[in-house]
Amino acid sequence: MISPMSATPSHTLQLTPSAEEEADAAAPVSRSKRNVGDREKYWPHGKTLKIAMYDADNSFIEAVKSAASKWLPHINIKFDFVSGEEGDIRIAENFISNQGSSMIGTDALKVPQGLPTMMLPYDHLSPRFAYVVMHEFGHLLGALHAHQHPDTEIPWNRSKAYELYKAQAGQTKSNVDEQVLPLPRSNTRHYEPYDRHSIMHYDISEHTTLGHWKQAENPQISAGDIALMRKAYPKTADTPQQVTSPAPSSPRSYRVPPTLPEEYRRLWRDVG
Ligand SMILES: [Zn+2]
């Protein structure tokens, strides 16, 4: 499998590097090698994120909480899961493709209330579910894709990568450039050393690299992920590790948007 969301890659969305980023890429590199986060999209330290789960049933919510809570010991952010459709983060179950996707950090605030800021696979019994939740919550916290780190060690065979992603998912060359291959260094991003074991790293097929280099999906948050988040959201001594639960859900009564809002698609990660 190539994407964190499905057997076929669906990486059509990522912002095209801006002129500023292009300029950054050309600027001398300062500091040391610096997993990747968009520091301009980090949430305020200490914030309690209200996470609306629409009318998801309790077993689904518990599965999300269990996986998402793996981040909590490392961040100065709290999660408050609620039923309904009002929250900083709004998570809809994806009944269409059973994939995950998310806005990056505070980009979630750009999505109008009532529309989801994250989609998660409806099948919470899947062995991959926890992985997808941790990956998407990484994006929620502002993390970007580790495999796109400018210091990535992946020896890409770019022509093979373009071929395979086109054959398997209809991806264009620019999609692959924007979603899969390394991105230019940017002064607005927070870098820790490249970490192939990051939860934010896709599985990489040996058919897209030189020398049979490959990387499977990583089932757990890595030391590099922890290092990134500790710097992004430093904890204070009195920061409680807290996750709250919604009251038992009422019978389904919300109209969950079945698909992502088209006008925000360029801001989403992991969606095709
Ligand atoms: Zn992703």
Side-chain angles (χ1 to χ4, degrees):
M1 291 189 287
I2 307 180
S3 90
M5 259 52 59
S6 70
T8 54
S10 55
H11 316 144
T12 56
L13 297 173
Q14 187 161 34
L15 295 173
T16 302
S18 64
E20 178 190 2
E21 289 171 331
E22 302 282 8
D24 288 343
V29 176
S30 61
R31 294 194 287 262
S32 57
K33 284 206 299 187
R34 315 167 270 162
N35 266 341
V36 191
D38 194 330
R39 75 165 80 90
E40 294 191 329
K41 297 176 183 177
Y42 288 161
W43 300 92
H45 296 171
K47 185 172 177 62
T48 297
L49 289 173
K50 187 177 176 184
I51 303 173
M53 301 294 292
Y54 294 94
D55 58 351
D57 63 29
N58 289 339
S59 61
F60 183 88
I61 295 173
E62 288 303 317
V64 174
K65 282 170 51 183
S66 174
S69 297
K70 298 288 194 290
W71 287 112
L72 289 175
H74 316 298
I75 56 175
N76 185 12
I77 293 285
K78 290 175 282 244
F79 297 154
D80 180 19
F81 288 86
V82 298
S83 292
E85 57 185 31
E86 293 184 11
D88 307 300
I89 305 299
R90 298 175 296 280
I91 300 178
E93 294 167 80
N94 188 342
F95 293 99
I96 306 293
S97 65
N98 202 30
Q99 297 178 349
S101 52
S102 178
M103 299 292 281
I104 303 292
T106 55
D107 272 353
L109 300 174
K110 298 176 181 175
V111 182
Q113 287 287 328
L115 294 173
T117 69
M118 182 186 295
M119 304 287 283
L120 289 176
Y122 70 86
D123 182 11
H124 69 276
L125 301 179
S126 161
R128 295 185 66 244
F129 186 77
Y131 162 78
V132 177
V133 172
M134 288 186 278
H135 181 100
E136 302 307 336
F137 269 71
H139 286 317
L140 175 161
L141 292 166
L144 303 173
H145 284 146
H147 52 276
Q148 296 190 277
H149 194 296
D151 299 330
T152 177
E153 296 163 0
I154 305 172
W156 287 104
N157 181 330
R158 290 181 178 244
S159 61
K160 288 288 186 187
Y162 294 136
E163 274 178 34
L164 185 137
Y165 282 84
K166 183 176 183 180
Q168 293 201 347
Q171 300 290 298
T172 65
K173 180 174 180 293
S174 66
N175 291 151
V176 176
D177 287 337
E178 294 166 3
Q179 290 286 325
V180 182
L181 298 174
L183 292 174
R185 191 173 289 280
S186 164
N187 288 337
T188 69
R189 292 181 181 151
H190 160 199
Y191 297 94
E192 295 294 327
Y194 167 70
D195 177 13
R196 66 186 292 175
H197 300 298
S198 168
I199 198 78
M200 304 311 296
H201 204 294
Y202 281 173
D203 58 337
I204 304 296
S205 165
E206 63 183 313
H207 302 298
T208 60
T209 65
L210 302 169
H212 304 289
W213 195 101
K214 62 182 177 180
Q215 178 61 49
E217 286 181 351
N218 299 300
Q220 296 175 342
I221 291 168
S222 71
D225 294 325
I226 292 171
L228 182 82
M229 287 301 170
R230 282 185 172 161
K231 290 182 182 174
Y233 301 103
K235 290 173 76 84
T236 55
D238 60 349
T239 303
Q241 294 179 15
Q242 180 179 345
V243 56
T244 57
S245 304
S249 59
S250 55
R252 290 179 179 266
S253 57
Y254 303 101
R255 285 194 62 215
V256 178
T259 56
L260 304 172
E262 187 68 35
E263 63 268 40
Y264 298 100
R265 289 173 68 88
R266 63 189 289 271
L267 296 175
W268 290 79
R269 288 299 180 280
D270 308 322
V271 66

